[in-house]
Amino acid sequence: MGLAVAAASHAIDGLEPRDVVSVHSESEVVEVIRGANERSEAIVVAGGRTRLGIGDPLADALALRKQRWPVEAGMHDRATVGGTLASAAGGPSRLRYFHPRDWVIGARVVLGDGTAVRSGGKVVKNVTGYDLTRLWSGTFGTLAAIVELTLKLTAVPERTVTLAIELDIATALAKAAEIHAGGLPIDALAIVAGDAAQSLGARGDALLLVRIAGPVAAVRRLGRALREIVTCRDVGNEVWERVAALPLDSKWTARVAWSPGARPPLEFAGYSAVVYPANGAAYLLRTIDRPTFRRVRDSLEALDGYAVLERAGRDYKREAGGAWGKSRVPLPIARALKERFDPRGVLAPGRMPA
Amino acid sequence: MRQLQEICGDDNVFWRAEDLLVWEYDAGFDRHPPSAVAVPGSTAEVAAVVKAAHDAGTAIVPRGAGTGLSGGTIACAGAIVVSTARLRRIVAIDAAARMAVVEPGVPNVAVSAAAREVGLFFAPDPASQRISTIGGNVGTNAGGPHALRYGSMVNHVLGIEMVLPNGEIARFGGTAADLPGYDCVPLIVGSEGTLGIITKIWLRLLPLPEDIRTFVAIFPDIDRGARAASAIIAGGVVPAAMEMLDNVTIGTLNAAFDVHLPPDAGSLLLVEIEGLHEETEDWAASIERLLRKNGATDVRSAASAAERELLWKARKLGYAALARIKPNNYLHDAVVPRTRMPEVLKQVNAIAERYGYVIANMFHIGDGNLHPVLLFDARTEPIDRVMEASAEILKVAIDAGGALTGEHGIGLEKNHFMPWVFTAEDLDAMRRARDSFDPDGTMNPGKIFPGGEACADIPTERTKRVLAEGMWV
Ligand SMILES: Cc1cc2nc3c(=O)[nH]c(=O)nc-3n(C[C@H](O)[C@H](O)[C@H](O)COP(=O)(O)OP(=O)(O)OC[C@H]3O[C@@H](n4cnc5c(N)ncnc54)[C@H](O)[C@@H]3O)c2cc1C
């Protein structure tokens, strides 16, 4: 299993952990968390570059059986399955395969009070009690430390092809909308803009990337259909790893979202970003001044969207009004969940709005 | 009562014994009358009803169409029923966002029909879809044949508006994905009315597939059909749906519908694939090869959309048609790992035979979701014995590494069996989640969790407790 548990005096930004503990079994996790409860310490759970990695070890093992876990979270060589679920990581695979939690059917976790519990099971369809497995998704290790996951897999498609074209951002958005509205089964759709596009070798303003996958004949036909909309060329599928990693490589990253039916309420022109237009989501990659960020956040929140600071300095976050912006869970419920699953508040205190 | 009438109007509150008769049962086996029924006409009215009940310390049972099969809507402990029958508006269909916003009382099939007009469809298709409501589908995390490819309700619910047990209106999720804060949507889906009353739902819609192909494969026995199904799954092609019908079911469908299935077939697989023409072409070839290789004596494909619809109509109304054989039936919907399917089916049928019941198997074999229907006549045969045989079947599924229920829910029917699969700590973790929403335990008490006394006066309750303990693992 292998996950690293870092003990920190406080969980927020930039503070050095006092101690870093590597654990290799569920019982060790239980021990560390119980200890933290006794000493009133805080713990931040971190995935390691270990066997839980979605990256190469898992992918290789599955590839032998022509299977895969269809979740692309970026940093393929380092991201862990547990971290991917706990952070509800977004990425190119969201278009066709939706949320990472839909590819997890069972979990073992250790709650904040040190109780080890199991949820779900080994079957793909299961309504035996509450779906706690999915509840853990996106909780960033604040309710429980994930120690084991049972994954749902899917077959590797016979062929996968990525098509790309350089366009100005407005045209790229319009073309992406046209492709999506056509209803063809597109495997991934992204626009990389500004400096980020240039880092992928583009000379123009934006790079529109489309991935198609399936039986050979289907991919051929999809390619033809796409070329009727835009004249795009074949590029290697590896580009997606770099696209997914861009938000993690950046010093400053804001994840923004809006209703996928609406036009993105932002001007991306000349700005470094990864946009997933059909999902109504984008990662902003170049720092903007705080008042501007607040304005962006306000306008998105007014449209039922949000702007979350995924990577930014502590001061920036504070002055921008916090990492999360307006919480969308009723606070009494968020607090009650935190108090009941982590009664002494040892798991990453302050990390989630509660 | 006066309060309820003031909130909902006199015509929308029922309390006379004769009026309550129709509210004392659902499609499961247990019965118990509520103390009253309120049918609010808006979210605000739902909130007012819940607030009034909460202040009075009265328990509440949310209810959609009452087609639930695990007693989720049975009101015990003096509870009132809150029905969503008047909350039936489709609020919006947003084609660009591929999303529908609906009230909880909307029947499942109405969403599909509205979506179709803009070239989209709503994937969850429980066999009860003409009647069952979206609110109930969310409550049970309903599946259906096409859950094989598209997943159950939880894969398709983007947001929920819910009246909390204290009467406050709260919203979870919505149009944008991954909103800041804990994502309670997948916890609420499948919570069987124990966390609040859902008053609005944001649903995901999908583009209609370009091509659909439906196959009927005939097998001399159940075993070969089950092996063929396992081989298809192992082969990597995921059909949109894959259903098994056994000989008893085939006979019933032939009698009830104009389907002309081979009456002497031991089993039949109904396999559907969806996608681009090029995809279905490719998959059809490999599926047909696997079906024949694993013993199919005949593989036919539906020649037209009308023929396909007839097959599905027969499949979906088949459960009701079983009443032609015996007036009553009892069914569980345990799930088994797909690799264990052939051996589990043998054991299931052996149990039915040992007890002397006619058994009809008509189920979602693609995702391992059994529906062994034991047929009997409640006027002459004791229910206890049917429950005992069914519990043995459940046990076989659990021993094979399976789950108690794949889509019907735990409700009142299987709560005592929960310790077969979960430890006290596991169940306590679920309770922590419930208590975060409902610290006073007034929402649908007596459901999901074992050990409660709320429904102890239901006649079958004792039998279930004995069976659960007798087969304790
Ligand atoms: C012939 C037949 C075929 C069936 N086929 C299938 C099938 O293929 N797949 C499948 O999954 N199920 C199937 N079912 C079971 C049943 O139809 C489903 O469980 C369905 O989702 C129940 O919907 P309903 O509106 O009838 O809900 P109800 O039975 O009224 O309620 C079900 C549960 O949801 C809760 N609930 C209802 N509305 C709300 C709300 N607004 N807020 C909070 N909680 C609520 C209730 O408290 C209860 O616990 C079938 C049933 C029958 C009779």
Side-chain angles (χ1 to χ4, degrees), chain A residues 125, chain B residues 26-27 61-73 82 84 104-105 125-129 131-145 162 188 191-194 196-199 201 315-317 319-320 333 364 371 406-409 411 444 447:
Chain A
K125 197 177 181 193
Chain B
D26 57 14
V61 178
R63 180 175 171 115
T67 68
L69 288 162
S70 58
T73 62
V82 176
T84 59
D125 65 333
S128 58
Q129 72 194 130
I131 318 162
S132 69
T133 65
I134 295 296
N137 292 170
V138 174
T140 57
N141 188 12
M162 185 164 85
I188 297 170
S191 61
E192 304 189 39
T194 61
I197 302 187
I198 297 157
T199 47
I201 307 107
R315 161 62 186 93
K316 290 187 175 175
L317 299 178
Y319 178 66
D333 78 315
H364 316 308
H371 284 29
E407 52 179 27
H408 296 166
N444 212 354
K447 314 295 161 61

Side-chain angles (χ1 to χ4, degrees), chain A residues 131-293:
Chain A
D131 191 344
L132 295 181
T133 310
R134 279 184 169 90
L135 176 65
W136 308 137
S137 78
T139 56
F140 290 89
T142 60
L143 300 182
I146 297 168
V147 294
E148 186 184 304
L149 294 174
T150 307
L151 307 179
K152 181 178 172 181
L153 304 175
T154 178
V156 176
E158 190 182 6
R159 169 153 312 164
T160 301
V161 168
T162 300
L163 300 171
I165 172 136
E166 287 181 32
L167 297 165
D168 63 87
I169 183 79
T171 314
L173 286 166
K175 290 292 179 193
E178 192 181 339
I179 290 167
H180 185 57
L184 289 172
I186 300 299
D187 199 63
L189 184 61
I191 297 168
V192 184
D195 297 346
Q198 273 109 57
S199 79
L200 297 180
R203 282 177 305 274
D205 193 21
L207 189 64
L208 173 66
L209 291 161
V210 191
R211 187 171 62 198
I212 46 185
V216 172
V219 170
R220 207 175 295 136
R221 138 91 188 282
L222 285 168
R224 273 202 309 274
L226 284 170
R227 285 192 180 94
E228 275 169 29
I229 301 174
V230 280
T231 43
C232 37
R233 73 193 148 81
D234 249 300
V235 295
N237 294 319
E238 308 75 51
V239 69
W240 291 100
E241 268 172 45
R242 297 173 61 195
V243 172
L246 280 167
L248 307 173
D249 275 336
S250 175
K251 280 206 198 61
W252 184 95
T253 303
R255 170 164 52 90
V256 298
W258 60 91
S259 167
R263 274 167 48 86
L266 302 174
E267 280 283 340
F268 291 103
Y271 184 77
S272 183
V274 179
V275 189
Y276 295 106
N279 290 79
Y283 293 88
L284 310 183
L285 304 175
R286 200 177 71 209
T287 182
I288 45 183
D289 64 61
R290 288 154 229 204
T292 311
F293 178 76

